[in-house]
Amino acid sequence: DPQLNLQYTFENFVEGDCNRLARAASLTVAKNPGKTAFNPLFLYGSSGIGKTHLAQAIGIEVKERSPDKTVLYVSANKFQTQYTDSIRSNSLNDFLNFYQMIDVLILDDIQEFAGKTGTQNTFFHIFNHLHQSGKQLVLTSDQAPADLQGMEDRLLSRFKWGLSADIKAPDFETRIDILTHKTRKDGIKVTQDVIHYLASHINTNVRELEGALISLLFLSTVNKDEITLETARNVVEKLVRTQQREMSVDFIKQTVCNYYGLDVESLQSKTRKREIVQARQIAMYFSKSLTNNSLSAIGSKIGKKDHATVLHACKTISNLIETDKEFKSQIREIEAQLKQ
Ligand code: ADP
Ligand code: MG
């Protein structure tokens, strides 16, 4: 069982300017796994833009062409868990043997290995073994190899051996094509107006486009309506409101304080208590990275500080993330809550 989602085919992957190179490289690899210069094939880009889909399409295509080949799709998190389990149960050799007999290994979200030295070392050996045996590696990540943090140099240098291809957020034309493809495939009846409206207003990623289609379908079923432009407007409005609520400085303050069990008001106080100073810095850090507020706007909303204080906070938090594993995992958890 290669753990593939059989919907994630090349056929169902809409081609556009934002993904053309990545798609072409993936197809090349799928036709000749391990036999091209694209080894590893490293696909990267932000969330919800089709990395997992494309990586799995390679696996599906390989299986279709040569059913005898061993293909495995695994998320970096699952790999990490399997590895730790194998250490605990004294079966590291079985783990290694299992991975070393794979013909096409697809490892998704490799940025999750950041800071995990044991996992990285083990993956390094598996990588070398597979690569030397002419087996194919397909890796995905939210960053280009050069920008990945917390990864060992020898691993990073190998990521650059093959081809790195980025997938960008879908451009307008591609958004139209994706919506057209999905509505046809699912038999959803919509007018061009509706498709045009959604494609103009939802420009973040493909996952949100899909989400909008589902809401649209749901609303029209509930109201026993045709899908009208009016319904599409409601869906988009709701989506925009959610985004605004989620990524305001206030929402960030609230989330950070919830996480540490602090009162939001305490961030505005003059106290120098360490835990509050740090919570304030974390809120500043996320406000800088996740909202479009200027440094001074962030400062005025968090504790009435000036822009230099916010800048200092961002640097302090970035440094801590790099040097303190425990702290880093707290930041990851808060980030996950923010992006939920
Ligand atoms: P990522 O791994 O980059 O976060 P996914 O591969 O999970 O994103 O894609 C999110 C959703 O969008 C999936 O349901 C996927 O099928 C769909 N999707 C992404 N890109 C395309 C595309 N070019 N054509 C059709 N569907 C797409
Ligand atoms: Mg993914």
Side-chain angles (χ1 to χ4, degrees):
D1 178 11
Q3 310 278 334
L4 298 165
N5 174 343
L6 296 178
Q7 290 300 312
Y8 287 168
T9 56
F10 279 109
E11 241 184 11
N12 286 337
F13 189 84
V14 175
E15 179 178 358
D17 288 344
C18 52
N19 61 39
R20 205 176 308 283
L21 174 71
R23 183 186 167 279
S26 299
L27 202 51
T28 304
V29 162
K31 288 177 180 163
N32 261 313
K35 303 288 176 285
T36 72
F38 305 163
N39 202 11
L41 175 62
F42 193 101
L43 303 171
Y44 67 95
S46 57
S47 170
I49 42 88
K51 302 180 296 294
T52 298
H53 185 140
L54 200 49
Q56 293 220 7
I58 297 173
I60 294 172
E61 186 75 20
V62 169
K63 272 311 240 186
E64 232 155 58
R65 288 167 181 262
S66 17
D68 293 343
K69 283 214 154 68
T70 315
V71 173
L72 182 74
Y73 166 87
V74 66
S75 70
N77 275 331
K78 187 162 174 198
F79 180 94
Q80 146 93 14
T81 311
Q82 289 174 345
Y83 164 71
T84 358
D85 287 351
S86 80
I87 299 276
R88 205 172 296 133
S89 62
N90 245 321
S91 55
L92 182 59
N93 271 335
D94 294 344
F95 176 83
L96 289 173
N97 287 337
F98 172 76
Y99 273 95
Q100 287 176 348
M101 50 153 245
I102 289 167
D103 295 309
V104 178
L105 176 59
I106 304 163
L107 196 84
D108 205 1
D109 290 321
I110 197 140
Q111 76 275 1
E112 300 288 338
F113 281 179
K116 292 167 181 155
T117 324
T119 313
Q120 287 184 33
N121 279 336
T122 304
F123 181 64
F124 177 75
H125 292 296
I126 293 171
F127 183 107
N128 287 342
H129 182 95
L130 292 179
H131 199 275
Q132 277 159 19
S133 328
K135 306 300 175 58
Q136 180 70 44
L137 290 121
V138 178
L139 312 172
T140 81
S141 161
D142 64 356
Q143 307 262 313
D147 299 326
L148 271 176
Q149 302 285 321
M151 213 65 90
E152 295 202 15
D153 284 343
R154 58 179 191 171
L155 209 47
L156 284 182
S157 78
R158 271 160 181 75
F159 293 170
K160 297 175 196 158
W161 276 358
L163 178 78
S164 304
D166 68 330
I167 309 181
K168 299 193 177 68
D171 49 281
F172 179 72
E173 288 303 317
T174 313
R175 299 201 293 274
I176 295 268
D177 291 348
I178 289 174
L179 287 166
T180 307
H181 173 90
K182 299 216 182 265
T183 47
R184 283 210 187 119
K185 182 165 159 283
D186 298 340
I188 306 174
K189 289 207 177 60
V190 288
T191 59
Q192 273 313 108
D193 284 3
V194 168
I195 289 199
H196 196 278
Y197 186 83
L198 291 181
S200 319
H201 289 83
I202 304 176
N203 55 13
T204 42
N205 63 50
V206 184
R207 195 171 287 134
E208 293 217 325
L209 279 180
E210 286 186 344
L213 272 186
I214 292 169
S215 310
L216 200 61
L217 196 59
F218 176 74
L219 279 181
S220 61
T221 314
V222 170
N223 301 331
K224 301 192 173 53
D225 257 358
E226 282 175 40
I227 296 174
T228 59
L229 199 53
E230 187 56 31
T231 324
R233 281 210 185 93
N234 288 335
V235 167
V236 168
E237 254 171 41
K238 208 169 128 235
L239 195 74
V240 170
R241 247 183 284 132
T242 318
Q243 280 169 353
Q244 279 170 351
R245 184 178 67 235
E246 280 183 359
M247 282 318 160
S248 66
V249 173
D250 279 341
F251 179 70
I252 290 170
K253 279 161 69 175
Q254 189 64 58
T255 308
V256 172
C257 286
N258 285 353
Y259 184 86
Y260 289 108
L262 300 171
D263 190 36
V264 178
E265 287 311 310
S266 65
L267 295 191
Q268 304 303 120
S269 73
K270 294 239 176 301
T271 174
R272 288 169 185 266
K273 260 181 153 168
R274 198 184 117 79
E275 50 168 354
I276 291 175
V277 172
Q278 191 166 75
R280 205 184 277 135
Q281 290 180 328
I282 294 172
M284 288 173 172
Y285 168 84
F286 277 123
S287 299
K288 178 74 190 81
S289 56
L290 301 178
T291 76
N292 293 323
N293 285 277
S294 66
L295 290 174
S296 42
I298 293 169
S300 77
K301 288 175 190 174
I302 306 178
K304 295 211 165 45
K305 306 289 181 191
D306 62 15
H307 82 280
T309 309
V310 179
L311 191 60
H312 174 73
C314 295
K315 284 184 184 153
T316 306
I317 298 302
S318 304
N319 285 338
L320 268 177
I321 291 174
E322 272 179 28
T323 52
D324 183 341
K325 273 191 195 170
E326 166 63 28
F327 182 76
K328 179 176 177 179
S329 76
Q330 289 177 13
I331 293 295
R332 284 252 157 134
E333 280 180 44
I334 297 171
E335 188 171 1
Q337 288 179 13
L338 286 168
K339 291 183 172 168
Q340 212 169 54

